[in-house]
Amino acid sequence: MNESSIVAPAVAAAQEIPAAEPVRPRALPYRSWVEVSRGQIAANFRAIRNAVGPGVEVMPVVKADAYRHGAIEVSRTLEEQGARWLAVSNTEEGIALRDAGVGTRILVMADFLPFTREAMLAYNLTPVIHSLEDLAELNRLAAVREEKVRCHLKIDTGMGRLGVRADAATIGEAILTAANVEVEGLMTHFASAGNYQSSQTEEQISVFQRVAAGLQAAGLRPSLLHLSSTIPIAYARRKAWQGMVRPGHAIYGYVSPARGHAPAGILQVKPALTWRASVLSVKEVPAGSLIGYGGMFRANRPMRLAVLAAGYADGIPHRLSNRGSVIVNSKIAPIVGAVSMDLTTIDVTQAPELRVGDAVTLLGSEGDVSIDAQQIAKLAGTISYSVLCGIHARVKRIYI
Ligand SMILES: *Cc1c(COP(=O)(O)O)cnc(C)c1O
Protein backbone atom coordinates (compact mmCIF):
# COMPACT_ATOMS: atom_id res chain seq x y z
CA MET A 1 0.00 0.00 0.00
CA ASN A 2 1.14 3.49 -0.84
CA GLU A 3 2.27 5.33 2.30
CA SER A 4 1.34 8.76 0.98
CA SER A 5 -2.16 7.71 -0.02
CA ILE A 6 -4.92 9.82 1.42
CA VAL A 7 -7.53 7.67 3.03
CA ALA A 8 -10.86 9.26 2.33
CA PRO A 9 -13.48 9.09 5.07
CA ALA A 10 -16.16 6.48 4.42
CA VAL A 11 -18.93 9.04 3.90
CA ALA A 12 -16.94 10.93 1.31
CA ALA A 13 -16.03 7.71 -0.46
CA ALA A 14 -19.69 6.92 -0.92
CA GLN A 15 -20.23 10.18 -2.83
CA GLU A 16 -16.99 10.65 -4.74
CA ILE A 17 -15.13 8.25 -6.91
CA PRO A 18 -11.51 8.65 -5.84
CA ALA A 19 -8.93 9.21 -8.59
CA ALA A 20 -7.11 6.02 -9.58
CA GLU A 21 -4.32 5.43 -7.13
CA PRO A 22 -0.91 5.25 -8.80
CA VAL A 23 0.54 1.80 -8.30
CA ARG A 24 3.89 2.00 -6.61
CA PRO A 25 6.27 -0.92 -6.87
CA ARG A 26 7.57 -2.46 -3.69
CA ALA A 27 11.13 -1.38 -2.92
CA LEU A 28 13.59 -4.20 -2.21
CA PRO A 29 17.16 -4.02 -0.91
CA TYR A 30 18.80 -4.70 -4.28
CA ARG A 31 20.28 -2.42 -6.92
CA SER A 32 18.30 -4.24 -9.58
CA TRP A 33 16.17 -7.37 -9.54
CA VAL A 34 13.67 -9.38 -11.49
CA GLU A 35 10.48 -10.75 -10.03
CA VAL A 36 9.42 -13.95 -11.78
CA SER A 37 5.89 -15.21 -11.32
CA ARG A 38 5.88 -18.97 -10.99
CA GLY A 39 2.10 -18.86 -11.32
CA GLN A 40 2.38 -17.12 -14.69
CA ILE A 41 5.00 -19.61 -15.94
CA ALA A 42 2.62 -22.41 -14.92
CA ALA A 43 -0.36 -20.66 -16.55
CA ASN A 44 1.59 -20.17 -19.80
CA PHE A 45 2.58 -23.86 -19.82
CA ARG A 46 -1.05 -24.88 -19.27
CA ALA A 47 -2.19 -22.53 -22.04
CA ILE A 48 0.25 -24.19 -24.45
CA ARG A 49 -0.87 -27.66 -23.39
CA ASN A 50 -4.51 -26.71 -23.93
CA ALA A 51 -3.71 -25.18 -27.32
CA VAL A 52 -2.01 -28.31 -28.68
CA GLY A 53 -4.27 -30.79 -26.91
CA PRO A 54 -3.54 -33.99 -25.03
CA GLY A 55 -2.02 -35.86 -27.99
CA VAL A 56 0.99 -33.54 -28.22
CA GLU A 57 3.78 -33.59 -25.65
CA VAL A 58 4.95 -30.12 -24.58
CA MET A 59 8.69 -29.86 -23.95
CA PRO A 60 9.43 -26.40 -22.50
CA VAL A 61 12.76 -24.90 -23.47
CA VAL A 62 14.70 -23.69 -20.43
CA LYS A 63 18.03 -22.97 -22.11
CA ALA A 64 20.05 -19.86 -21.29
CA ASP A 65 18.92 -19.98 -17.66
CA ALA A 66 15.31 -20.15 -18.83
CA TYR A 67 15.71 -17.00 -20.95
CA ARG A 68 17.11 -15.48 -17.73
CA HIS A 69 14.04 -16.31 -15.67
CA GLY A 70 16.15 -18.79 -13.69
CA ALA A 71 16.33 -22.35 -15.03
CA ILE A 72 16.14 -24.17 -11.73
CA GLU A 73 13.04 -22.42 -10.38
CA VAL A 74 11.31 -22.45 -13.75
CA SER A 75 12.10 -26.14 -14.29
CA ARG A 76 10.83 -27.09 -10.84
CA THR A 77 7.61 -25.20 -11.51
CA LEU A 78 7.17 -26.93 -14.88
CA GLU A 79 7.92 -30.35 -13.41
CA GLU A 80 5.28 -29.71 -10.73
CA GLN A 81 2.87 -28.87 -13.53
CA GLY A 82 3.50 -32.24 -15.09
CA ALA A 83 6.16 -31.49 -17.72
CA ARG A 84 7.83 -34.77 -18.66
CA TRP A 85 10.52 -33.23 -20.85
CA LEU A 86 12.64 -30.08 -20.68
CA ALA A 87 15.09 -28.83 -23.30
CA VAL A 88 18.39 -27.09 -22.63
CA SER A 89 21.15 -25.95 -24.92
CA ASN A 90 24.19 -27.56 -23.39
CA THR A 91 25.42 -30.23 -21.01
CA GLU A 92 26.34 -27.80 -18.23
CA GLU A 93 22.76 -26.51 -18.17
CA GLY A 94 21.46 -30.07 -17.97
CA ILE A 95 23.81 -30.98 -15.13
CA ALA A 96 22.70 -27.91 -13.15
CA LEU A 97 19.10 -29.14 -13.38
CA ARG A 98 20.03 -32.69 -12.37
CA ASP A 99 22.02 -31.34 -9.40
CA ALA A 100 18.93 -29.36 -8.38
CA GLY A 101 16.91 -32.57 -8.38
CA VAL A 102 14.99 -32.13 -11.63
CA GLY A 103 13.84 -35.59 -12.66
CA THR A 104 12.21 -35.02 -16.07
CA ARG A 105 13.78 -36.20 -19.29
CA ILE A 106 16.21 -33.49 -20.44
CA LEU A 107 17.03 -32.96 -24.10
CA VAL A 108 20.36 -31.24 -24.81
CA MET A 109 19.79 -29.47 -28.11
CA ALA A 110 23.10 -27.88 -29.07
CA ASP A 111 26.00 -29.81 -27.64
CA PHE A 112 27.73 -33.20 -28.04
CA LEU A 113 31.08 -31.46 -28.06
CA PRO A 114 33.81 -34.05 -27.53
CA PHE A 115 34.51 -32.96 -23.95
CA THR A 116 30.86 -33.12 -22.86
CA ARG A 117 29.80 -36.57 -24.09
CA GLU A 118 30.72 -38.68 -21.06
CA ALA A 119 29.03 -36.25 -18.64
CA MET A 120 25.92 -36.17 -20.81
CA LEU A 121 25.48 -39.89 -20.46
CA ALA A 122 26.52 -40.01 -16.80
CA TYR A 123 23.81 -37.43 -15.93
CA ASN A 124 21.11 -39.15 -17.95
CA LEU A 125 20.79 -36.25 -20.38
CA THR A 126 19.47 -37.03 -23.85
CA PRO A 127 21.66 -35.66 -26.63
CA VAL A 128 20.46 -34.26 -29.91
CA ILE A 129 22.76 -35.76 -32.54
CA HIS A 130 23.52 -33.48 -35.48
CA SER A 131 25.60 -35.68 -37.79
CA LEU A 132 25.97 -39.33 -38.73
CA GLU A 133 29.58 -39.27 -37.48
CA ASP A 134 28.30 -38.24 -34.05
CA LEU A 135 25.71 -41.01 -34.21
CA ALA A 136 28.51 -43.54 -34.75
CA GLU A 137 30.46 -41.97 -31.91
CA LEU A 138 27.48 -42.18 -29.56
CA ASN A 139 27.13 -45.83 -30.54
CA ARG A 140 30.76 -46.44 -29.64
CA LEU A 141 30.35 -44.73 -26.24
CA ALA A 142 27.21 -46.75 -25.55
CA ALA A 143 29.07 -49.98 -26.38
CA VAL A 144 31.84 -49.05 -23.94
CA ARG A 145 29.21 -48.42 -21.24
CA GLU A 146 27.47 -51.66 -22.20
CA GLU A 147 24.12 -49.96 -22.34
CA LYS A 148 21.56 -48.79 -24.85
CA VAL A 149 21.60 -44.99 -25.14
CA ARG A 150 18.72 -42.87 -26.39
CA CYS A 151 19.08 -39.79 -28.57
CA HIS A 152 17.11 -37.48 -30.84
CA LEU A 153 18.39 -37.00 -34.36
CA LYS A 154 18.20 -33.56 -35.89
CA ILE A 155 17.52 -33.18 -39.59
CA ASP A 156 18.65 -30.03 -41.38
CA THR A 157 15.57 -29.49 -43.51
CA GLY A 158 16.75 -26.15 -44.84
CA MET A 159 17.77 -23.92 -41.97
CA GLY A 160 21.41 -24.61 -42.73
CA ARG A 161 22.53 -24.70 -39.14
CA LEU A 162 22.67 -27.90 -37.07
CA GLY A 163 21.41 -31.21 -38.41
CA VAL A 164 21.94 -34.06 -40.85
CA ARG A 165 21.46 -33.29 -44.53
CA ALA A 166 21.75 -36.87 -45.84
CA ASP A 167 18.84 -38.67 -47.54
CA ALA A 168 16.57 -41.07 -45.69
CA ALA A 169 18.30 -44.20 -46.99
CA THR A 170 21.71 -43.08 -45.75
CA ILE A 171 20.27 -41.98 -42.39
CA GLY A 172 18.36 -45.26 -42.03
CA GLU A 173 21.50 -47.28 -42.66
CA ALA A 174 23.44 -45.28 -40.08
CA ILE A 175 20.68 -45.78 -37.49
CA LEU A 176 20.57 -49.53 -38.13
CA THR A 177 24.36 -49.74 -37.82
CA ALA A 178 24.29 -47.91 -34.48
CA ALA A 179 22.87 -50.92 -32.66
CA ASN A 180 23.50 -49.52 -29.16
CA VAL A 181 21.62 -46.30 -29.86
CA GLU A 182 17.87 -45.88 -29.78
CA VAL A 183 16.87 -42.92 -31.95
CA GLU A 184 13.68 -42.13 -30.06
CA GLY A 185 13.20 -38.66 -31.53
CA LEU A 186 13.47 -37.07 -34.94
CA MET A 187 13.47 -33.28 -35.05
CA THR A 188 14.12 -30.19 -37.10
CA HIS A 189 14.04 -26.43 -36.55
CA PHE A 190 12.50 -23.73 -38.73
CA ALA A 191 14.38 -20.70 -40.01
CA SER A 192 11.39 -18.48 -40.87
CA ALA A 193 8.46 -19.79 -38.85
CA GLY A 194 6.93 -16.34 -38.36
CA ASN A 195 7.21 -15.23 -41.95
CA TYR A 196 4.00 -16.02 -43.81
CA GLN A 197 5.35 -14.30 -46.92
CA SER A 198 7.92 -17.07 -47.26
CA SER A 199 7.41 -20.70 -48.28
CA GLN A 200 10.52 -21.81 -46.38
CA THR A 201 8.59 -23.38 -43.49
CA GLU A 202 6.32 -25.43 -45.78
CA GLU A 203 9.40 -26.60 -47.70
CA GLN A 204 11.10 -27.59 -44.47
CA ILE A 205 8.02 -29.54 -43.38
CA SER A 206 8.02 -31.43 -46.71
CA VAL A 207 11.68 -32.34 -46.38
CA PHE A 208 11.06 -33.54 -42.83
CA GLN A 209 8.07 -35.63 -43.88
CA ARG A 210 10.07 -37.19 -46.71
CA VAL A 211 12.85 -38.23 -44.34
CA ALA A 212 10.38 -39.56 -41.74
CA ALA A 213 8.54 -41.56 -44.43
CA GLY A 214 11.82 -42.92 -45.81
CA LEU A 215 12.87 -44.09 -42.36
CA GLN A 216 9.47 -45.63 -41.81
CA ALA A 217 9.87 -47.59 -45.04
CA ALA A 218 13.07 -49.00 -43.53
CA GLY A 219 11.15 -50.01 -40.40
CA LEU A 220 12.40 -47.07 -38.31
CA ARG A 221 9.77 -45.16 -36.37
CA PRO A 222 11.18 -42.73 -33.83
CA SER A 223 8.36 -42.28 -31.32
CA LEU A 224 8.76 -38.48 -30.96
CA LEU A 225 8.69 -36.23 -34.01
CA HIS A 226 9.12 -32.52 -33.24
CA LEU A 227 9.54 -29.40 -35.33
CA SER A 228 7.78 -26.51 -33.59
CA SER A 229 9.00 -23.75 -31.33
CA THR A 230 6.62 -21.02 -30.12
CA ILE A 231 5.49 -19.51 -33.42
CA PRO A 232 4.14 -22.63 -35.18
CA ILE A 233 2.22 -23.39 -31.97
CA ALA A 234 0.82 -19.90 -31.55
CA TYR A 235 -0.28 -19.56 -35.18
CA ALA A 236 -1.69 -23.08 -35.30
CA ARG A 237 0.57 -24.62 -37.94
CA ARG A 238 -0.81 -27.97 -36.86
CA LYS A 239 1.00 -30.18 -39.31
CA ALA A 240 4.25 -29.05 -37.70
CA TRP A 241 3.16 -30.21 -34.25
CA GLN A 242 3.41 -33.97 -34.72
CA GLY A 243 3.89 -35.68 -31.36
CA MET A 244 5.83 -32.98 -29.54
CA VAL A 245 6.44 -29.23 -29.50
CA ARG A 246 9.32 -27.17 -28.07
CA PRO A 247 8.10 -23.78 -26.83
CA GLY A 248 10.52 -21.38 -25.20
CA HIS A 249 9.35 -17.79 -25.73
CA ALA A 250 5.69 -18.64 -25.02
CA ILE A 251 6.57 -20.24 -21.68
CA TYR A 252 7.86 -16.79 -20.66
CA GLY A 253 4.78 -15.07 -22.03
CA TYR A 254 5.84 -13.89 -25.46
CA VAL A 255 4.78 -14.62 -29.02
CA SER A 256 6.55 -12.60 -31.70
CA PRO A 257 4.30 -10.94 -34.28
CA ALA A 258 4.13 -12.80 -37.58
CA ARG A 259 4.85 -11.29 -40.98
CA GLY A 260 2.35 -11.52 -43.84
CA HIS A 261 -1.04 -13.20 -43.71
CA ALA A 262 -0.73 -15.28 -40.56
CA PRO A 263 -3.75 -17.14 -39.24
CA ALA A 264 -5.27 -15.82 -36.03
CA GLY A 265 -3.23 -16.64 -32.95
CA ILE A 266 -4.57 -19.38 -30.70
CA LEU A 267 -2.35 -18.82 -27.68
CA GLN A 268 -2.93 -16.42 -24.80
CA VAL A 269 0.19 -16.05 -22.68
CA LYS A 270 1.50 -13.23 -20.50
CA PRO A 271 5.00 -12.14 -19.48
CA ALA A 272 6.14 -13.72 -16.23
CA LEU A 273 9.04 -11.40 -15.51
CA THR A 274 9.17 -7.88 -14.08
CA TRP A 275 12.51 -6.07 -13.94
CA ARG A 276 13.09 -3.29 -11.44
CA ALA A 277 15.86 -1.00 -10.27
CA SER A 278 16.42 1.13 -7.17
CA VAL A 279 16.81 4.89 -7.28
CA LEU A 280 20.35 5.74 -6.18
CA SER A 281 20.14 9.51 -6.38
CA VAL A 282 17.59 12.24 -7.11
CA LYS A 283 18.52 15.80 -8.01
CA GLU A 284 17.42 19.00 -9.73
CA VAL A 285 19.45 20.43 -12.61
CA PRO A 286 19.04 23.84 -14.26
CA ALA A 287 18.05 24.35 -17.90
CA GLY A 288 21.03 23.88 -20.20
CA SER A 289 22.69 21.13 -18.14
CA LEU A 290 24.43 18.34 -20.01
CA ILE A 291 23.63 14.84 -18.81
CA GLY A 292 25.97 11.85 -18.85
CA TYR A 293 28.76 10.59 -21.10
CA GLY A 294 29.35 12.61 -24.23
CA GLY A 295 26.92 15.29 -23.11
CA MET A 296 24.40 13.38 -25.18
CA PHE A 297 21.44 15.14 -23.62
CA ARG A 298 20.91 18.80 -22.77
CA ALA A 299 18.13 19.81 -20.40
CA ASN A 300 15.86 22.31 -22.20
CA ARG A 301 14.24 23.29 -18.87
CA PRO A 302 14.97 22.84 -15.17
CA MET A 303 14.70 19.12 -14.60
CA ARG A 304 14.39 16.67 -11.80
CA LEU A 305 16.55 13.61 -12.51
CA ALA A 306 16.86 10.20 -10.89
CA VAL A 307 19.91 8.03 -11.27
CA LEU A 308 19.06 4.31 -11.29
CA ALA A 309 21.40 1.66 -9.89
CA ALA A 310 21.42 -0.35 -13.13
CA GLY A 311 23.11 0.06 -16.49
CA TYR A 312 24.20 -1.86 -19.55
CA ALA A 313 26.21 -4.28 -17.39
CA ASP A 314 22.86 -5.31 -15.93
CA GLY A 315 21.37 -5.70 -19.39
CA ILE A 316 19.76 -2.35 -20.11
CA PRO A 317 20.61 -2.02 -23.81
CA HIS A 318 23.05 0.80 -24.45
CA ARG A 319 20.93 1.60 -27.51
CA LEU A 320 18.22 2.87 -25.15
CA SER A 321 20.43 5.91 -24.46
CA ASN A 322 18.26 9.02 -24.95
CA ARG A 323 15.39 6.93 -26.35
CA GLY A 324 14.16 4.34 -23.86
CA SER A 325 11.79 4.80 -20.94
CA VAL A 326 11.05 3.27 -17.58
CA ILE A 327 7.93 3.37 -15.40
CA VAL A 328 7.93 5.58 -12.33
CA ASN A 329 4.84 5.29 -10.13
CA SER A 330 2.61 4.36 -13.07
CA LYS A 331 3.99 7.10 -15.35
CA ILE A 332 6.43 6.82 -18.23
CA ALA A 333 9.77 8.50 -17.49
CA PRO A 334 12.28 8.91 -20.32
CA ILE A 335 15.90 7.80 -20.16
CA VAL A 336 18.08 10.89 -20.62
CA GLY A 337 21.67 10.74 -21.81
CA ALA A 338 23.78 7.64 -22.26
CA VAL A 339 22.99 4.41 -20.47
CA SER A 340 26.25 3.75 -18.66
CA MET A 341 27.73 0.54 -17.29
CA ASP A 342 26.13 0.61 -13.85
CA LEU A 343 23.85 3.64 -13.97
CA THR A 344 20.98 5.04 -15.99
CA THR A 345 19.54 8.54 -15.65
CA ILE A 346 15.85 9.29 -16.09
CA ASP A 347 13.74 12.43 -16.17
CA VAL A 348 11.40 12.40 -13.16
CA THR A 349 10.17 15.98 -13.36
CA GLN A 350 6.64 14.51 -13.48
CA ALA A 351 7.22 12.36 -10.40
CA PRO A 352 8.31 14.75 -7.62
CA GLU A 353 7.39 12.15 -4.99
CA LEU A 354 10.19 9.78 -6.07
CA ARG A 355 12.84 9.23 -3.37
CA VAL A 356 16.21 7.52 -3.06
CA GLY A 357 15.62 3.80 -2.43
CA ASP A 358 12.30 3.73 -4.30
CA ALA A 359 11.85 1.17 -7.05
CA VAL A 360 11.18 1.88 -10.72
CA THR A 361 10.12 -0.62 -13.36
CA LEU A 362 12.42 -1.25 -16.32
CA LEU A 363 10.25 -4.02 -17.79
CA GLY A 364 6.79 -4.88 -16.56
CA SER A 365 3.67 -2.98 -15.63
CA GLU A 366 2.39 -0.60 -13.00
CA GLY A 367 -1.33 0.07 -13.16
CA ASP A 368 -2.26 0.69 -16.78
CA VAL A 369 1.26 1.42 -17.95
CA SER A 370 3.51 -1.33 -19.21
CA ILE A 371 6.77 -1.86 -21.05
CA ASP A 372 7.52 -5.32 -22.41
CA ALA A 373 10.58 -6.94 -23.96
CA GLN A 374 9.19 -6.50 -27.47
CA GLN A 375 8.85 -2.73 -27.01
CA ILE A 376 12.34 -2.47 -25.57
CA ALA A 377 13.70 -4.58 -28.42
CA LYS A 378 12.11 -2.37 -31.03
CA LEU A 379 13.66 0.77 -29.54
CA ALA A 380 17.03 -0.92 -29.11
CA GLY A 381 17.07 -2.39 -32.62
CA THR A 382 17.16 -5.98 -31.41
CA ILE A 383 14.78 -8.87 -30.66
CA SER A 384 12.82 -9.59 -27.49
CA TYR A 385 14.77 -12.83 -26.92
CA SER A 386 17.98 -10.84 -26.75
CA VAL A 387 16.49 -8.32 -24.29
CA LEU A 388 15.45 -11.13 -21.92
CA CYS A 389 18.70 -13.07 -22.29
CA GLY A 390 20.60 -9.82 -21.80
CA ILE A 391 19.40 -9.42 -18.20
CA HIS A 392 22.65 -10.05 -16.44
CA ALA A 393 23.26 -12.76 -13.83
CA ARG A 394 24.09 -10.04 -11.26
CA VAL A 395 20.47 -8.90 -11.34
CA LYS A 396 18.89 -10.62 -8.34
CA ARG A 397 16.07 -13.05 -9.05
CA ILE A 398 13.02 -13.15 -6.80
CA TYR A 399 10.24 -15.72 -7.19
CA ILE A 400 6.66 -14.84 -6.40
C1 LIG B 1 15.41 -22.02 -28.59
C2 LIG B 1 14.83 -23.14 -29.36
C3 LIG B 1 13.46 -23.41 -29.29
C4 LIG B 1 12.48 -22.49 -28.59
O1 LIG B 1 12.22 -21.40 -29.43
P1 LIG B 1 11.14 -20.26 -29.02
O2 LIG B 1 11.04 -19.41 -30.22
O3 LIG B 1 11.74 -19.53 -27.86
O4 LIG B 1 9.91 -20.96 -28.66
C5 LIG B 1 13.00 -24.55 -29.93
N1 LIG B 1 13.83 -25.35 -30.62
C6 LIG B 1 15.15 -25.11 -30.74
C7 LIG B 1 16.02 -26.03 -31.51
C8 LIG B 1 15.69 -23.99 -30.12
O5 LIG B 1 16.99 -23.74 -30.23
Side-chain angles (χ1 to χ4, degrees), residues 83-345:
R84 285 181 289 240
W85 283 86
L86 296 170
V88 296
S89 185
N90 61 57
T91 305
E92 210 175 312
E93 292 175 345
I95 291 173
L97 295 184
R98 285 286 181 251
D99 284 346
V102 173
T104 63
R105 296 290 303 281
I106 298 178
L107 188 69
V108 181
M109 297 193 296
D111 207 336
F112 211 65
L113 278 160
F115 50 86
T116 63
R117 294 168 188 170
E118 290 291 349
M120 238 185 213
L121 302 185
Y123 280 85
N124 188 27
L125 307 174
T126 305
V128 171
I129 294 295
H130 322 288
S131 74
L132 299 184
E133 294 75 42
D134 283 353
L135 184 61
E137 178 59 17
L138 182 63
N139 185 53
R140 197 188 63 75
L141 292 173
V144 170
R145 297 175 70 91
E146 295 182 350
E147 63 186 33
K148 187 122 183 169
V149 168
R150 293 173 291 193
C151 78
H152 291 210
L153 185 66
K154 189 166 193 177
I155 308 300
D156 178 1
T157 54
M159 178 157 181
R161 201 177 60 178
L162 288 174
V164 179
R165 285 194 93 118
D167 57 41
T170 312
I171 295 170
E173 236 179 77
I175 293 176
L176 290 169
T177 306
N180 305 302
V181 178
E182 182 197 338
V183 178
E184 67 170 341
L186 194 67
M187 65 184 282
T188 194
H189 194 48
F190 297 132
S192 307
N195 185 354
Y196 281 83
Q197 292 161 338
S198 157
S199 57
Q200 192 177 6
T201 306
E202 290 303 308
E203 287 156 16
Q204 287 194 256
I205 293 170
S206 304
V207 172
F208 188 83
Q209 283 168 341
R210 208 151 55 232
V211 173
L215 292 180
Q216 200 167 358
L220 297 166
R221 287 181 187 77
S223 57
L224 294 167
L225 304 187
H226 50 107
L227 311 84
S228 296
S229 57
T230 291
I231 286 184
I233 302 169
Y235 296 100
R237 208 188 286 259
R238 289 188 169 79
K239 70 178 163 181
W241 292 355
Q242 301 284 339
M244 187 187 238
V245 292
R246 308 184 302 264
H249 220 25
I251 291 286
Y252 310 104
Y254 288 92
V255 174
S256 301
R259 225 189 288 171
H261 294 290
I266 57 162
L267 194 58
Q268 297 301 323
V269 289
K270 281 196 220 132
L273 177 150
T274 297
W275 183 11
R276 300 210 153 101
S278 290
V279 174
L280 180 64
S281 177
V282 178
K283 66 165 117 192
E284 313 277 346
V285 296
S289 301
L290 295 175
I291 311 300
Y293 282 120
M296 229 186 194
F297 181 85
R298 185 187 292 277
N300 60 358
R301 52 177 163 80
M303 276 181 135
R304 186 174 168 83
L305 302 178
V307 182
L308 307 178
Y312 62 76
D314 300 280
I316 301 176
H318 184 260
R319 293 276 298 273
L320 293 187
S321 298
N322 256 346
R323 50 198 314 203
S325 300
V326 308
I327 309 172
V328 175
N329 296 337
S330 305
K331 284 172 287 203
I332 291 289
I335 293 173
V336 290
V339 172
S340 46
M341 189 180 292
D342 307 296
L343 302 167
T344 300
T345 305

